[in-house]
Each structure stands twice: as C-alpha cells, then as structure tokens.
Amino acid sequence: MLGLAIVALAAGCAPGVAAQASDARSPAVVRASRRAYDGAPPVIPHAPLGPDCTACHDETGVVLPELGFSPPSPHERTQGLSAASRCVQCHVYRETDGEFVASSFVGLRQDLRRGTRQHTWAPPVRPHGRFLRENCAACHTGPAAREEIRTTHPERVRCEQCHAAVEARGTFRR
Amino acid sequence: MDRRELLRNLSIATAGVAAFSCRDRAEAERLAADGALARGEGNPDVTWDKAPCRYCGTGCGVLVGVQDGKVVAAQGDPASPVNRGLLCVKGYHLPGFLYGEDRLLYPQRRGADGTLQRISWDEALDLIAEKFGDALRDHGPESVAVYGSGQWTVFDGYAALKWVKGGMRSNNLDPNARLCMASAVVGFMTQFGSDEPMGCYEDFEAGDDFVLWGNNMAEMHPVLFSRILEHKRQNPGVRIVDIATRQTPTTDYADLFVPVKPNGDLALANGILHVLVRDGMVDRSFVEENCVLRRGIEDLDAIGFGVGGEAGERYGFKDEPRESSWDELVEFLADYTPERVAELAGVPARQVEVLAELYGARDRGTVSLWCMGVNQHVRGTWMNNLITDLHLVTGKIGRPGNNPFSLTGQPSACGTAREVGTLAHRLPADLAVTVPEHRARAEEIWGLEPGTIDPKPGYHAVDMFRALSRGDVKAMWIQTTNPWVSMPNLARFERKPGDGSFVVVSDIYPTPTTDVADLVLPAAAWVEREGMFGNSERRTQHWNKMVEPPGEAREDAWQIVEVARRMGMGHLFPWEGDWHEAMYEEYRTFGLGIGKDLASYQELKETPGKLWPVVDGVETRYRYAAGYDPYVKKSKGVHFYKAKSYGERAAIWLRPWHPPAEVPDAEFPMWLSTGRILEHWHTGSMTRRVKELHQAAPEAYVELNRADAAELGIKDGDRVRVASRRGSIELPARVDGRGKPARGSVFVPFFDEHHLVNELTLDAMDNLSKEPDYKKAAVRVEPVGGKS
Ligand code: SF4
C-alpha cells in the first residue's frame, strides 16, 4: 500500500506533499495554516497513504526517499492514544480548499515570543501547553524541527526537569 | 481554593484515571502530578472553562478557551471521565462553528414579497403570542405545536414542556430525538419501566466482547470507540463484533464482521436466542428470580408501517401486551434455527452459533452497543427488546462489562428529550400524560389546577409535520433543528411561507428550514448562554455562559419564557432575574426519591457532570445493581425496582422477524441507507461552517459496492442519479471510499442540504416508537455523465 502511494506521489499525484517541499512561507506560517488554532490537531497535509499512519509517524520519524521527512508522533505518552488508535478521528484530509460559508473565526495564535530566560544561563520556560504532546522531541528535534525551536541537547530526555511551564502571569503577592 | 483549583483537585482525586491499567494509571497519575494534565495550561491570556461538546451524545468534556470575548481554542477536558482529555475532530474544531459569517443576528419576519425583514424582539415575541393565541382560541390546543430538539439544553426543553403542556394545555410537543432514539426509549420502558441504560462508559474497559449492532462507532461515537480500542490494545483478548449491512471504518477494527440484510437483525437476534436456549447457555435461575415474559401483537397486517391509507396520516398503533412463559418462548424460538436465520438475515449459520457462544460465555463480559441502525427501524423497539433479551436470558446485565448499551446521537437526547420528557406523551422523570397520578404530580409541582394537563398524547414528530401539511396545525415553533433536511420523504412536507399556517424557527444559521419559516429568530449557541446536557451514560453536565452571543441572539429558553409571559402564562415562570438555577431545581423535584434523582445545580457547576440517580451527592455507575445503586437493598445481584407493573422484574419480550416496509424490485433494485460521517454532525448547519471540516468533506456522495459500480458502468467520482419512488438526486459516486456497502445497496450521508437524501427516504415508522426508518428504501442508481 505504502509502496504504491509513494509511486503515486513521485508521479506528482500528491499536491499536498509537493507544496510542502517548495513552500516559500516560513515554517511557523505553514504550521499555522494547518491548524484552526494553536493546539488544534493539524490537518493532514499530504494525500492519503493508507491507514497505518504510525508506520511513518513513529516515535522518531522516518526519512522517505524523495519525499522528505515524516515527523514523529508527539503522542508518545498520551493516555488512550497509541499506534492502535484511529488517527483520522482527529486529523482529517483536505478534499478542497473552498469554504461552505466564510467565517470570521480567528483561532488562538501560537505565541511566537521565545520562552523567557531568567538569566543568560537559565533554561527558557516552556511558552506553550503540552497537552497531548508529551513527546517534546517530535517538534524540537530532527529534520522537521523548526530551526528556532530545535534543541541543542536532544539526549536529555526529561525536558520538564529544566523547562518550567508558564501557568500564570504576574508575580507572587502575599 | 478557587473553583478551578477545586475542579482540578476533584478531577485528579475521583475521575481522571479510573479505568486504566495499573501501568497506565501510574503514568497518568505522574503526569497529573506534574501538571501536564492541568486544565488549559499554557497561555495565561486565555481563560478556560468546562462545557460538554455541542455535538454527539458521547458528551465529551471540553475546555473552552476564551480570549478578548471570543472562543479561540478548545481542548479535551482531562478531568472529564467521559473522554479524559481526548476529543474527535469535530470537538477540536468546535470554536469555529460559532463564527460563520451568516450567523442570524436579529429577528426577521417574512414580508409579502417573500424576503425576510428585520423586526424587533418585542414585535417578534408579540407576533408569536398573537398567532399561538389565535390558534388556541379558534382551533383548540391540537392546532399548536412545538418541534424541539435533542440539542435543546435542559432549560430550553423544560421551558417548552411547561409552556406547551401546563400553559397551552396541548401535548403537541415532540423533539427531533423522535427521529433518533425513540425506539430505545420504548425499548427500555417496556422492559424496565424506566428509560435509559443501566451501565456507564466504564463498561468499555470492563467488558471482553463488544457487539456492535448496526453501529459505526468509529465515526459516530469516535471517543468511545477509542476507549474500546485502547482497552483492546492493553488486553488483546478483547473482541469487537461488527454486525452491519455495510462495511465502515469500524469494520477495520472488528475481529468479526457479520453481514446482515436489512431487517435481518430481527431474525439474527432470535437465532442467537434459539441457540442459547437449545444449548442450555441461558441462566434460568436469573430469569426466574428477575424476569417476566411478555408478548404483544405480531400480525403484520394489523401493525403496518405508518404509510398509506389512514396510518399514512396519523399512525397510532398500540400494542396489546399479554403474559407469556418460558415454554412459550422456547416454542416461539423453534422457528429461528441458524439455517432459517441464514435465509432471512443473510448471516452464515456458523456465525449465528459463534455469536450465541459469545453471549453465552459465562466467563466473558459482553456489552451490546447500538444506535441508529437499530433505532431507525420499522421494528426498532422490537430490536431493542431482543438485544436486551440476550442479556436477560444470560443474566449478563447490571454488572460492569455486561450490559445492553444504547448510544444516543444528540448531546442531550437523554438529558432533555428523555429526562425532561419533551415527547408528545411524556412529562419529566418517566411520567406520562396518560397516567392520572402522573398528571396530578406535574400539576402539583407546577401549582396548576387539577385537570389542566390533557391526558391524550399529542402528535409524534412525523404526524406533526403531516398535520402541518394538512393544515391541522396552525401555529408551529421549531427550535434548534432542521426538519426540512432531516425529515424522511421531504416532498411530503413541502411548504410555502404564508400558506395560512404560521411557522417560527429559532436557529443560529440560515437553513432550508429557516427558508420556509414565516418568522426567524436568532438563537444563542452553546457557550454563548448557560446550559446543561445529559449524555448517553446518564451524565448531566452543566456549563456557564462564557461569551456574549452575536447581535441580538438570545437563548431558546428565554424566547419561550418571554412568549409565555405575553400570553398570560407568566405564572409558569415566576422567577425574577436569572432564573436558571430556580428553573432547574424545580425540574429536579420530579425525579427525587423515585430513582431519577439528578445532581443539584451547585454539584453540576462544580463537577464534570454526575450520573443519575445521584443520592447524597453520590452518583450511580450501575443502575439496578447491588453495591452500586442506592435504591437496591439486596446485597447482591440486581433489582429492577422501576418495573412496578411487572412486580419489579424486567420483561423478556417475544418479538418475531418482520420484513421491511419497502424492498427492492425490478424498478428500484437497490437498498438505500443513510447516516452521518465523522466530520459532519447531523444536517451540517454547524460543522459545514468550520473550514477544516468542510474541507475534509465538502459534499455528500453515494457509496457503491465495487461490483455494482462496475456493472452499472460507474467509476469513483462519476456523477450519478439516485432515484426512489419519492424523488431523485444527483451526486458524485464513491467506490471503495471509507464505507463499502454490501452488493445491491448504497449509502448516502444526510449532512448536505444541496443533495437532500431525504427526498428519497420513506416515512415508514416503528410501530411502537413511531421513529422513522432512514435505513431502508428502494432506489435505482444510474450514471448521468460527467465527473465531480
Ligand atoms: S462529537 Fe462526540 S466524540 Fe466528538 S468530541 Fe464531540 S462529544 Fe466527543
């Protein structure tokens, strides 16, 4: 199944993937274009390749010759999700670029300000929620990671040991 | 401790990880302690609050993110025991449905030129009061009608019920839930004297075998299906059985696919009972202690289907139950040998035996699940009865992992339609207008004169629209539903505004239903108002108003209360200011002390919902079960205490196979079935306005079997015409898409108002529940040339 699909892609039948390869937009803009809001499950940017998504989107990601890199699944430790789950329960393909009715919905934008550091040597705080994305490495390591968020130390696996979440603004007051 | 903190602690302590394996529970607890599962963590500029999902009856808990007065994000609520943080694609994209550019913003009345003109709320409310008042005065209570919804909040439904039954003294109140779960209601009522399932979603981690009767759970109840898949992953011995007329995404995960002909399910269930009895795989002592046997009218001609002749105008068939016995059951079942079932149902005889072994295995928990395939069925109540019979004869009921479990399609089909009782024959908490003591109880709670409530049931949904077409209903109010897309045999109900009757529609977007309305009112949606829904597992869930509705949109309950006050019925709604709590607490008194106890308003505000009956703040996970249900005084086993007329026992019903109302012939040689798909919910009026969902599924299609398509010269994507005796539509063909119909049958989803499959369906009904059968009509399919 996958073999057939790759042949089809190589023949130019998968506009999603082709567009991905030549997209001049910044990675952050491409990322946003695939999500209704920051935290929404991204739509699938390529043509259907069969039901077994985790064959390519595994824990580390897979290099597919001539196609690029399929990023890892961030759901490594998500309760209730596994390779046995139905990914299309949440992630859907795009069959059209049109809209039924225009919408004024503006989703929550990703906070592109970098996580702040208390001082030069302090680890930056984590500026986003981790919800359903327990596998930090999915976005912060490997060829699919945007340069500005790529970690310099992928070998240290327990990220939250150093990178604290931001749960509230302001400072402590008695 | 603030409310959010309290919620978080509660969720961690009581709900969050209840049914995971030990390994996963430890991991979940660690993550929870880390704050990884904290509510809405991540962006301090966004405020988060809980609400149940707006769409299906699963009732997933959603954390709704609000920024600058707009809903900007959604997350699955980790504190909700329903979904524990997961949603499906519709749930994740909930925020978008509020912001379609064509939201209805102010009341509009149709002018003489046929266009809608803006009017004020005062003018609109006065007009409704005048039209309903005129109809009552000139034609009596039979001439007014309210058609409501399983998407109504508890408040909306209760306000409508009180106004229609206690104010206008009419029983012409029925919800669209009549079209989706009425057969389950009558099923539960006829067997247990009380509606709704005995189990809860924890059955999905406690059972061993999950038997899906005509139920594409992977698309219709995705989050519940993902719970079963996870349970199966952790326990490879778990089995999923898919009994269906069509292969669906659910089939991909099934251990056993059982192909069944339309209406063949009746024969199959009887065949399984036959083998269970034949091979002694029944629990006779359970039956003797806890069950009675009943039998009703079985003559096909006497029953009919609610189409043609007098029954085609007003279908009022009533059963005449009589006592039966185990011996009579054995004799009755003698006809349903596996070989005969193979003929009637198309199920291989060996599979009938396998299913019987599965239901009969004492060491394995069995959960039966069903939804529209069983309910939208000309003998839907019978099928409900038969599935429950399988559990009663084997004693597999009222225990974790052993239950018949009917799922609902709408978010408050249970909470509003069934529990509030917004049906033509009902009052709250299983009370019925036909029973004098029940009417008296309602009149007492409502402070009304004895004899106010009419003892005669009103029109059920299909008859209500037939009466409107005839001109017998003069004033009708439709809220939160889209019948000119969803009613069967739509051509029958064609309407031109200004035809002499008066139709008001409250909704959030223009639809084919607002297109034919005389007055259109803008409704506040979901978290734009306070609300409560009740899901499939008896969980009542409350949410707060989080954002302002757009324009002049107002909640449905407010619209009803204001009209009632203008009609001189303000005494029904005596509360000043914000009446939500007072209204709910009054409603709640109906169920207290009779096994239908709902949690208090405050409890619901502070928790991710509770499963009724809730006694002393404790919810009931398993009804009728010793050790779980506070109404059961026995130390073990079950007690069907609500079934008073059966001596507090459950009824096993003898129900035969009957053919469908219409079968394919030379002119219309194929079966048509209809339904939903994952991305779109019901008639698509909300989900189609969400870009991601529309782009994933922009248009309806007709699914064909590959062999049929080849024979007809149709390829995937070709435009085809599908015609029935009632109409025809053109749409693209799908071959080997997500669903694969059996040879000789096709499937069309109903979300697309531009391809109205209900132009083709038949308005035949279940004899007892009066729920239409959307799954069986005879059609012809032909290519028309061109690609989509
Ligand atoms: S549509 Fe149903 S399964 Fe999907 S998120 Fe909403 S309640 Fe859950």
Side-chain angles (χ1 to χ4, degrees), chain A residues 12-111:
Chain A
C13 300
V17 173
Q20 185 187 2
S22 62
D23 206 317
R25 296 173 298 174
S26 78
V29 170
V30 173
R31 179 186 184 276
S33 74
R34 294 182 188 146
R35 288 160 173 80
Y37 53 87
D38 190 37
V43 297
I44 303 171
H46 57 73
L49 296 174
D52 188 6
C53 308
T54 51
C56 301
H57 298 284
D58 63 5
E59 279 182 28
T60 53
V62 173
V63 176
L64 297 167
E66 297 186 29
L67 278 178
F69 180 70
S70 70
S73 161
H75 305 306
E76 190 189 28
R77 286 183 295 170
T78 304
Q79 290 301 313
L81 291 185
S82 70
S85 302
R86 246 189 118 233
C87 305
V88 292
Q89 175 177 313
C90 305
H91 302 279
V92 290
Y93 290 102
R94 262 185 192 159
E95 298 256 335
T96 171
D97 289 331
E99 281 180 291
F100 180 64
V101 166
S103 172
S104 61
F105 171 66
V106 182
L108 181 65
R109 292 283 141 243
Q110 189 181 24
D111 189 347

Side-chain angles (χ1 to χ4, degrees), chain A residues 89, chain B residues 52-62 82-83 86-92 94 220-224 676 678 681:
Chain A
Q89 175 177 313
Chain B
C53 173
R54 173 62 182 77
Y55 301 124
C56 88
T58 298
C60 291
V62 181
V82 173
N83 52 311
L86 298 182
L87 296 173
C88 79
V89 67
K90 291 185 295 301
Y92 285 116
L94 275 161
M220 305 311 136
H221 298 88
V223 166
L224 298 182
R676 288 209 286 111
L678 168 70
W681 196 73

Side-chain angles (χ1 to χ4, degrees), chain B residues 189-194 624 639-651:
Chain B
M189 292 303 291
T190 50
Q191 296 188 281
F192 303 100
S194 179
Y624 312 133
H639 178 196
F640 300 112
Y641 56 86
K642 289 290 285 179
K644 302 283 183 223
S645 61
Y646 304 140
E648 307 196 355
R649 289 152 176 254

Side-chain angles (χ1 to χ4, degrees), chain B residues 95 143 182 194 514 674:
Chain B
S143 69
S194 179
T514 63
T674 74

Side-chain angles (χ1 to χ4, degrees), chain B residues 371-528:
Chain B
C371 198
M372 295 309 130
V374 162
N375 291 344
Q376 293 176 338
H377 190 309
V378 283
R379 297 293 177 263
T381 302
W382 290 9
M383 260 320 292
N384 272 267
N385 287 159
L386 287 167
I387 294 173
T388 299
D389 284 353
L390 292 168
H391 288 265
L392 289 171
V393 300
T394 53
K396 287 186 163 185
I397 192 162
R399 283 186 280 138
N402 282 293
N403 280 305
F405 206 129
S406 107
L407 297 169
T408 43
Q410 301 192 81
S412 203
C414 285
T416 305
R418 298 163 80 157
E419 290 158 28
V420 174
T422 60
L423 293 141
H425 62 297
R426 290 277 288 262
L427 292 163
D430 291 340
L431 307 185
V433 297
T434 46
V435 181
E437 305 82 61
H438 293 183
R439 292 196 302 278
R441 174 140 175 82
E443 285 154 357
E444 185 196 326
I445 291 171
W446 289 343
L448 300 174
E449 287 293 313
T452 302
I453 297 170
D454 186 350
K456 185 170 164 248
Y459 293 120
H460 53 80
V462 173
D463 275 359
M464 186 186 280
F465 280 83
R466 290 169 170 179
L468 179 75
S469 298
R470 279 199 306 272
D472 290 350
V473 165
K474 307 289 182 194
M476 187 187 220
W477 195 345
I478 297 164
Q479 289 194 332
T480 329
T481 185
N482 191 5
W484 269 275
V485 174
S486 58
M487 292 301 285
N489 190 5
L490 276 171
R492 249 199 103 151
F493 308 115
E494 244 168 52
R495 169 168 208 271
K496 293 237 175 331
D499 65 357
S501 57
F502 176 73
V503 174
V504 194
V505 176
S506 303
D507 210 329
I508 65 171
Y509 286 115
T511 64
T513 300
T514 63
D515 287 349
V516 299
D518 300 288
L519 178 66
V520 177
L521 301 177
W526 195 41
V527 298
E528 294 166 354

